[in-house]
Each structure stands twice: as C-alpha cells, then as structure tokens.
Amino acid sequence: MYKMATTKWRWIFGVAFVYVGLFTTCGGQLGPGSGPWDVVSPESEGLNQEWLETAEEEVNRNLGNRTCFLVVKNGKIVFEKYRRGRTVSGTSEMYSHTKSFCASVFGTAVEQGWASPEERIAQRLKNTRQCNRDASFENVLTMTGQSPNLLWPTFMYDADGSQCLDTIQDFVTGNNPDGIDAVAWKNEHWAKPLGMEHMQWGKGGYLHCGYSAQSSCRDAARVGQLFNNNGRWPGFGQLMSEAYTEKARTVIHPFAQESWGPYGYLIWLYMQDDYDPTVSMMSGANAQCTVFSKELNAVIVSFGTDDDSLCDPVWNAARYAVAGRTRKPQGNSTQTKTLKALPRVREQHALSEHDIRSMLLLLKSGEMQLNETETDKVIKRLEFLQKQRKNEADAQVSAAVADEEV
C-alpha cells in the first residue's frame, strides 16, 4: 500500500514538474537567466549555419565596419561572429541605444508598483527639466514630453537626455523604495537579475538615459530577449511589467508632429514586415542595433563603427535566415506592402527614413515611378532626416567628451 502511494505521488510530482517546465517555456521565460548564455548550433533550433553566415556578410557589406553579429533563437545563441579585433567581452558605446535600456529599467519599476507611465512628472518631481509641466512619463518615453500642446504632441528628440528624458533618472533616484541612487538601483534590480556580464552604464550615481551605456553584444541581447518574453525572465519571473512591455512595442502617438517614424517606449518599430509586423529595434549612432522579433522568437545584434545610423539593413539581411527561409516570400514583399501603406508624395513631411528607403528601392526596381519633382522631394526629406541623426550623434559625442573631462 505504501509503495503504491509513493509511486502515485512520484507520478504526480513528475507530471507537475513537466507542467512547470512547459509553463516556463510557453510563458516566455526563455534566455540565460542570471547565468551565461547557452550556445548551440543553428541546426538544433531549426536554422541553417550557411544562411546565417550569408546574412552576416550582407550586413557587413551594406553597413561596413561591423564589429559583431549575434543571433539568438528560442533563447539560445545560435550564431556569433566578431570582426576588427572585437571579442565576446568587448563593449561598444551604445549612444541612443541606451534610451531603450532606460525604458526597460522604468518598466522594471512599473512591475514593482512604484512607477506608472500615466503619472504626471510634476507629481513626483519638483524639477521637470524642460518637460511640459503637465507631461506624463509616457510623454517622456515617447519623446513628446517637451510638446507645447500635449493634446497635439510633437516628437522632439532629446539626443543627450538632459532636456526631458533624464527625468527618468531623477525619478528613479528620488522615488525608489531602497533609497539608493539610480545606478545602484539599476544594478541591483535590473542588471543583476538579467545577468549582465560586461555592461557599464552610469557614473557617479547618475544614470544617463540619453547615451553613455557600454555594452557587449551578448548583454544587449539579454534586453532584447526580455522584451520578447513580455518582461518575464528565467529564475526571476515577471521582471518588467507585461502590460508595459506589450505597450512599449506599439505606436503611442501615431499622429505626433515632426515624427521620425513609428516609435514606442524609446524603441523604434518596423511595422511593415512580412515576417513579423511587430518587430522592434533598439538603435544608436553608428548603427548599434538590437532587433527583436517576438513572432520568430529571435534577437539579432549588430554593432559597429560605420557612419550610418539605420538598423533596417540588419533586419532585412537576417530575417530570412532567422525565419528558416532561403528567399523572400513571393507576391508579398516588404517593399510591396510599404508601397501600399505610404502616404501620398505631397505629404513628404510624414515619411520616415524607413519609408523613404523603401521608396528608393521601389524606384530602383521600377515597381514605383515618380516624376522629377516628387523624387526630389523624397531625396530632400531623407537628407533632412539624416542630418538630424548626425546632429544627434554629434551632440552625444560632445556630451561624452565633456563627461570624460569632468
């Protein structure tokens, strides 16, 4: 009788163990937890080594001066390549990629219950910097915090974070339950659970949200996987608020004036893609790129030192390989979908860099035709946006130099 009962309980515990394991996987807790990454072959996750090598070569060819290319599939590293003397532990200046890290830190505070995107900044801080006194933290997270009219918000990119974005650092320092500075809180409640191995971010207790993080490809991939997991993390549970994480990957202010393109919570959104219309990007100057696709359960990281700041080429080159496909789907290309969704040419002020580059591809292939005046408008708009990006990068470099001098 005792033997039968023992066997019965063993069976029950065994089923429970399997169930918990399945729940952990299905619940999105993929990734390394606080330990090192699992490194496996592409084939073990249904991918192809040769296709990934081709994708890496294409990214390096199109962007140039790449230092790393890393692919995570189903929470495991399946491909990793370093160039120009860079190694696994080597770090890169993240520039505006840092902004997305800051959004993740704020989402962790939201999960702990002492932060909310909907809360007005002035309710928690006496000094709101150059933010509108009526702006919410959601405005800060969407670059609309400096809008003169919040009912008709304006996208105003805060390059170094000092104008409005760093109210997040002020908020964390002044409101966290531990009573410690923002850097210490980030280290304990965000970096430690994520198992950051090489990242350096924050100086003298000040957590710059606009720039300044130094990260390896592997550490940046952890943040991308966290977003893919809807905020859940192995060995921890819900690290970042699920509702917050889901909303972060949506366009909050689709009609914001002077918009540079689809934007969530300090994250760029791709939107028009055949493989995953919700694919999102953390992006910084010199094309420091972390692209994450929840649909394909993949994270792609590519860092470098080239002059371009666009991360589109990384996803465009790699998405076929991480989807396990050898070529573009017939009759449903990104370019075709983009063409259908583009605003009319007379509304060029509304076009993002991604839209314009897609238009130029269509023009080159002959799928789209514009007259000389319309083409000139498109090119001028692209030049204007590229100049804005360059000014942003220059401002961040100047700020970084000033910090070093201090």
Side-chain angles (χ1 to χ4, degrees):
M1 188 75 173
Y2 173 80
K3 184 176 181 180
M4 289 180 63
T6 302
T7 302
K8 178 180 177 182
W9 281 109
R10 283 178 177 173
W11 180 84
I12 291 174
F13 281 122
V15 171
F17 179 81
V18 171
Y19 176 80
V20 170
L22 288 173
F23 177 80
T24 298
T25 302
C26 296
Q29 292 192 52
L30 299 176
S34 59
W37 280 99
D38 286 338
V39 182
V40 301
S41 69
E43 287 71 20
S44 69
E45 298 303 321
L47 302 184
N48 182 289
Q49 176 79 21
E50 184 179 347
W51 298 351
L52 290 169
E53 289 176 353
T54 299
E56 189 277 333
E57 290 169 0
E58 183 178 341
V59 170
N60 188 65
R61 183 171 60 252
N62 291 342
L63 285 175
N65 298 320
R66 297 286 84 191
T67 55
C68 79
F69 182 82
L70 180 150
V71 176
V72 173
K73 182 73 172 180
N74 300 325
K76 302 172 184 177
I77 293 176
V78 296
F79 186 86
E80 194 173 23
K81 183 169 182 176
Y82 295 88
R83 293 176 180 265
R84 295 171 177 82
R86 187 59 56 86
T87 63
V88 168
S89 61
T91 61
S92 296
E93 167 61 55
M94 293 288 93
Y95 300 108
S96 283
H97 194 302
T98 306
K99 295 174 171 66
S100 303
F101 292 161
C102 198
S104 181
V105 169
F106 190 84
T108 302
V110 172
E111 174 59 26
Q112 291 190 4
W114 54 273
S116 171
E118 289 75 29
E119 193 168 29
R120 287 176 57 243
I121 308 167
Q123 288 179 276
R124 305 296 289 272
L125 294 173
K126 292 182 179 180
N127 182 3
T128 60
R129 297 181 179 252
Q130 296 178 37
C131 299
N132 186 315
R133 290 286 299 178
D134 292 322
S136 66
F137 284 104
E138 182 165 90
N139 290 124
V140 177
L141 292 162
T142 55
M143 293 293 176
T144 59
Q146 297 178 74
S147 301
N149 183 353
L150 293 171
L151 296 177
W152 192 18
T154 302
F155 184 89
M156 302 176 70
Y157 199 77
D158 188 2
D160 68 0
S162 62
Q163 297 173 16
C164 184
L165 180 58
D166 277 355
T167 53
I168 292 178
Q169 111 74 39
D170 301 339
F171 168 77
V172 173
T173 291
N175 292 274
N176 74 79
D178 297 351
I180 54 182
D181 63 61
V183 176
W185 190 89
K186 175 266 299 181
N187 289 339
E188 181 65 25
H189 296 277
W190 184 78
K192 184 177 179 179
L194 285 175
M196 294 300 187
E197 298 177 288
H198 317 112
M199 182 179 289
Q200 300 174 37
W201 178 26
K203 183 178 181 181
Y206 190 96
L207 191 68
H208 282 287
C209 280
Y211 70 101
S212 82
Q214 300 273 340
S215 177
S216 64
C217 278
R218 287 192 174 192
D219 280 354
R222 291 174 187 265
V223 185
Q225 187 63 55
L226 180 65
F227 274 100
N228 274 352
N229 290 354
N230 276 348
R232 296 181 67 81
W233 198 245
F236 190 89
Q238 198 70 46
L239 177 62
M240 189 165 62
S241 163
E242 182 175 6
Y244 174 94
T245 307
E246 291 177 344
K247 192 171 184 180
R249 297 193 302 264
T250 63
V251 181
I252 312 300
H253 297 294
F255 304 109
Q257 302 176 78
E258 305 299 329
S259 174
W260 290 7
Y263 201 62
Y265 284 167
L266 303 176
I267 290 173
W268 296 99
L269 310 175
Y270 206 82
M271 300 293 289
Q272 300 176 38
D273 187 76
D274 302 303
Y275 292 83
D276 182 359
T278 66
V279 67
S280 309
M281 304 180 186
M282 299 184 279
S283 173
N286 303 134
Q288 316 305 328
C289 309
T290 301
V291 186
F292 45 99
S293 167
K294 183 173 174 58
E295 183 71 22
L296 300 178
N297 208 356
V299 181
I300 305 164
V301 184
S302 177
F303 295 162
T305 59
D306 57 285
D307 294 330
D308 205 335
S309 293
L310 291 177
C311 291
D312 300 42
V314 175
W315 176 245
N316 288 337
R319 60 193 181 131
Y320 311 111
V322 298
R325 305 180 192 176
T326 58
R327 58 188 174 88
K328 300 178 183 180
Q330 296 298 313
N332 191 30
S333 68
T334 298
Q335 287 77 25
T336 302
K337 292 179 74 176
T338 300
L339 175 59
K340 293 178 180 179
L342 286 175
R344 295 184 63 84
V345 175
R346 67 171 181 268
E347 301 171 352
Q348 291 311 319
H349 63 279
L351 297 179
S352 68
E353 287 186 55
H354 167 63
D355 288 336
I356 292 174
R357 288 185 179 274
S358 296
M359 288 179 75
L360 294 177
L361 286 173
L362 289 166
L363 289 168
K364 185 177 180 180
S365 67
E367 294 181 60
M368 181 179 184
Q369 294 183 354
L370 298 176
N371 62 39
E372 187 175 342
T373 301
E374 292 170 335
T375 302
D376 186 56
K377 288 181 179 179
V378 172
I379 293 174
K380 284 184 177 179
R381 173 64 176 165
L382 178 59
E383 291 174 345
F384 171 75
L385 290 172
Q386 288 177 326
K387 184 177 180 181
Q388 283 186 316
R389 290 290 180 91
K390 185 178 185 303
N391 290 340
E392 169 214 333
D394 290 344
Q396 291 177 344
V397 170
S398 298
V401 171
D403 277 353
E404 289 299 322
E405 291 176 349
V406 171

